[in-house]
Amino acid sequence: IEYIEKHLDSELTLQNIAEYLQLDSFYLSHLFSKEVGITLHKYIIKKSMNKAKLMIDDGFPIKEVVSKTGFKDESHFIQSFKKEFNITPNKYRLYTRKN
């Protein structure tokens, strides 16, 4: 979890985290799900999306939010954001500015 927190701005995968921890990826996946209650992938997405929300609230441009949350491209980021929060990042920004 600490490694994920420190590396949210890079592309985090089960494989590269397992390599860093010198664990088998299957074992890491099983252990993480057992201890945290959600899959590693879902945890990374949740953390990235929460960071993205904060950055949008702080006025960062979407392109910068994308790069600082480990996404390769803007369209994948927008899809993930919408799936997580049921709103696009731009609509979220507009909504939060009004309130």
Side-chain angles (χ1 to χ4, degrees), residues 13-26:
T13 64
L14 174 62
Q15 189 61 39
N16 64 24
I17 296 169
E19 286 174 12
Y20 171 79
L21 296 172
Q22 298 179 350
L23 294 172
D24 176 75
S25 59
F26 179 77

Side-chain angles (χ1 to χ4, degrees), residues 15-80:
Q15 189 61 39
N16 64 24
I17 296 169
E19 286 174 12
Y20 171 79
L21 296 172
Q22 298 179 350
L23 294 172
D24 176 75
S25 59
F26 179 77
Y27 177 71
L28 173 60
S29 178
H30 174 74
L31 183 63
F32 192 91
S33 293
K34 182 179 172 186
E35 293 296 319
V36 180
I38 61 173
T39 67
L40 181 62
H41 177 73
K42 285 183 181 178
Y43 182 83
I44 292 168
I45 294 294
K46 279 194 166 303
K47 287 296 182 176
S48 295
M49 291 295 103
N50 288 332
K51 180 179 178 179
K53 230 178 172 181
L54 292 173
M55 290 181 73
I56 291 169
D57 289 343
D58 288 342
F60 285 89
I62 297 299
K63 285 190 185 287
E64 191 170 346
V65 175
V66 171
S67 70
K68 298 285 186 188
T69 54
F71 285 86
K72 285 184 176 181
D73 62 75
E74 197 170 323
S75 63
H76 183 238
F77 167 77
I78 292 168
Q79 285 178 330
S80 296

